[in-house]
Amino acid sequence: MWEAPYPPWDFTDRNRFETVIKRWPVILTGIIDNIYCRNHDLGVSLPSKTEAEKALIEETIEEGKKIISKVGEVKYDMARDRALQPIPNDGEALADIYNKELDRLAENKKNTWLTVPWLYSDYRLIRSFFVQTKHWKDYDPFLVQKEGTFQKSSKAIYQLATTMHELEQDKETLESDPDNSKVIFKEMIQMCLWGNATDLSMLTHMSHEDIQRLQSVGKDAQAARAEFILHDDQEKVWHHLTSLAGKQDSRVDFVLDNGVFLLIGGDYNPPVATRRLTVTALAAGFELFTDFVFADFLVTYTPYVSKVVFHPKLIPWFVSDVTPPDFKSTTKSLLSPTFFPQETTTEGAPAAGSSDDSRAHLLEMVKRWESYIESGVFSLSVPIDSPLGASDKMADFWTSPYPYWNMDALAPELHASLRDSSLVIFKGDLNSFRKLTGDVQWPVSTPFEEAIGPIAGTFPIISLRTNKADVIVGVDAALAAKLDQSGEKWRYNGKYAVVLFQPRSDSK
């Protein structure tokens, strides 16, 4: 398999130390607390249960205690830079792959928590603790946190729903003037790029008159962010998207994650006339909601896309990664009248963003999404009823320890599918940008095409990435030097970003 001409980043530095010693233990403590609370609730319910039910509950509690103990051991090992444990033969995917790689790392003395490559250290071991039980196999220890964060995002969700409602009113105007659509497209990209409620101020409530002034308003909003985007290929992406006009059955694939990548391309004259816009987005709750919004905009309000495929993770990976159960429950939660509590002002009136109108706009939009799911306009890359821990050749690779440049050799079916896509969006820092570039110590000015290796050109790629780790490419060397000299932690403080585009090559 292909190897980069530079070594991987050595994360024994402060960045690695901060993550392994401080950040990951907090996440593991959250898992422990989650199971403890679940066990407590089960224990409280015992007096009202039958003897048979009590036996099952007590068995579940004991299994929960064992999981807590095992997660605690991992936390203890992290703090002492001990060797990673091998994955038990639990019957789920990739255990043999991880163990083979761990053996290789041990031979090179790179198998401890502070020395193992970051693309390898993961949550597969934690998943095995749940798999080896009777009552916790389908339990997602991150679900409560994902749902809680989602529910706290109600204001921005209502605002976005109203924005989409107003786009419907101006649909004909948008279709007649691509410049207006381009501004909204860029705002959608930036919504995903920055990925939090504060930055969603770019897509707040717009009146009919606001829609008419979208171009100037959008440019102003985007200009405020321009200095923080160190490489910006948005114009190239828009040009590619508009080139899809008039082509049948266009498809976008979202690879669901914690950040954003767009891979655009595919065979424009396949045996069965199919163009796909592929968006890879791997983050549940509010981030998944914004992916739905972006997909809805592409399908409903542009003439360039007719189908969207979402690519989930099959096991709970990082806290906000989307699994098939997350995807399936999102629309149900949004349609529930009690999922978001009614917020009011001190005078008792509905709070801003939560009026009856905004709730109606949300209902209208989500029902459209459900109709898209039923008709196949929106779909998952795996069966929508896939349980946690399922194995599927269209998804296993996303949670493997390998860079994406090995996709053709290690996941040929997935690779072949993406080659047919018109646009693929990869989201996330670790699971997208860093797996695309192999977490390698590339010089900062390395062209994106060079850094992503053999995958370059097989389908056009745009990477939407906020900088959260040292690895970075596609940035002007003089600009990088200036930022370095300023003392600002620009490589990993999340303040800066890149939008990198690599088109499909005619020779591939």
Side-chain angles (χ1 to χ4, degrees), residues 9 433 442-444 465 467 469-475 490-491 498:
W9 273 95
F433 182 87
W442 299 102
V444 292
R465 187 254 186 151
N467 300 352
D470 292 88
V471 59
I472 185 70
V473 300
V475 177
W490 66 277
R491 291 172 179 262
V498 290

Side-chain angles (χ1 to χ4, degrees), residues 188-434:
M188 290 284 175
I189 282 186
Q190 291 201 35
M191 171 186 70
C192 293
L193 178 64
W194 300 109
N196 60 51
T198 300
D199 297 316
L200 285 169
S201 60
M202 293 182 293
L203 281 171
T204 54
H205 179 87
M206 293 186 290
S207 67
H208 179 84
E209 290 74 20
D210 292 332
I211 295 292
Q212 304 303 315
R213 298 192 298 269
L214 260 178
Q215 189 164 12
S216 60
V217 173
K219 285 183 176 178
D220 291 342
Q222 292 157 22
R225 282 291 189 189
E227 64 178 298
F228 300 108
I229 302 178
L230 304 180
H231 185 112
D232 191 351
D233 283 338
Q234 291 185 70
E235 285 289 339
K236 293 180 180 179
V237 180
W238 177 250
H239 177 74
H240 173 80
L241 189 66
T242 57
S243 73
L244 304 179
K247 298 177 180 178
Q248 293 182 337
D249 301 327
S250 58
R251 177 184 134 187
V252 175
D253 292 63
F254 279 80
V255 181
L256 303 169
D257 208 314
N258 298 336
V260 180
F261 280 88
L262 298 170
L263 295 99
I264 307 174
D267 184 349
Y268 297 142
N269 295 288
V272 177
T274 303
R275 273 187 309 117
R276 303 179 306 165
L277 180 56
T278 302
V279 180
T280 303
L282 301 166
F286 182 69
E287 290 185 55
L288 177 57
F289 175 82
T290 61
D291 294 330
F292 268 118
V293 171
F294 193 9
D296 189 10
F297 166 72
L298 292 170
V299 169
T300 309
Y301 302 109
T302 80
Y304 313 125
V305 179
S306 58
K307 179 178 174 62
V308 173
V309 175
F310 296 88
H311 296 255
K313 298 282 178 57
L314 292 176
I315 64 174
W317 197 241
F318 291 98
V319 178
S320 59
D321 284 339
V322 174
T323 64
D326 292 328
F327 183 90
K328 188 176 181 180
S329 67
T330 295
T331 55
K332 300 289 190 300
S333 297
L334 291 168
L335 291 174
S336 170
T338 59
F339 185 73
F340 295 124
Q342 176 68 61
E343 298 179 10
T344 60
T345 65
T346 54
E347 291 78 21
S354 62
S355 67
D356 289 342
D357 284 346
S358 62
R359 288 173 181 261
H361 298 158
L362 179 63
L363 184 66
E364 169 190 49
M365 180 177 66
V366 177
K367 284 188 174 180
R368 180 168 65 245
W369 297 353
E370 285 207 323
S371 72
Y372 285 166
I373 292 172
E374 291 176 3
S375 66
V377 173
F378 286 176
S379 66
L380 274 187
S381 62
V382 299
I384 196 169
D385 292 322
S386 297
L388 295 184
S391 178
D392 194 293
K393 59 189 177 184
M394 295 300 293
D396 288 340
F397 184 72
W398 303 126
T399 52
S400 78
Y402 299 117
Y404 291 159
W405 60 55
N406 291 326
M407 186 187 298
D408 190 15
L410 300 178
E413 295 87 356
L414 174 63
H415 187 262
S417 175
L418 296 182
R419 284 178 66 93
D420 289 337
S421 179
S422 299
L423 176 63
V424 184
I425 302 179
F426 285 91
K427 300 185 64 176
D429 180 65
L430 172 61
N431 290 319
S432 295
F433 182 87
R434 294 170 64 187

Side-chain angles (χ1 to χ4, degrees), residues 141-203:
F142 304 126
L143 181 61
V144 172
Q145 184 174 348
K146 286 187 282 192
E147 287 186 343
T149 302
F150 194 20
Q151 288 177 312
K152 293 176 183 177
S153 304
S154 60
K155 181 177 180 179
I157 286 172
Y158 287 131
Q159 289 174 333
L160 283 170
T162 295
T163 294
M164 298 299 282
H165 172 78
E166 289 163 348
L167 290 181
E168 180 68 27
Q169 295 177 333
D170 286 78
K171 188 173 181 179
E172 292 184 3
T173 302
L174 292 173
E175 290 177 348
S176 66
D177 187 351
D179 284 343
N180 283 338
S181 295
K182 179 172 73 171
V183 172
I184 301 174
F185 173 75
K186 288 185 174 183
E187 291 180 343
M188 290 284 175
I189 282 186
Q190 291 201 35
M191 171 186 70
C192 293
L193 178 64
W194 300 109
N196 60 51
T198 300
D199 297 316
L200 285 169
S201 60
M202 293 182 293
L203 281 171

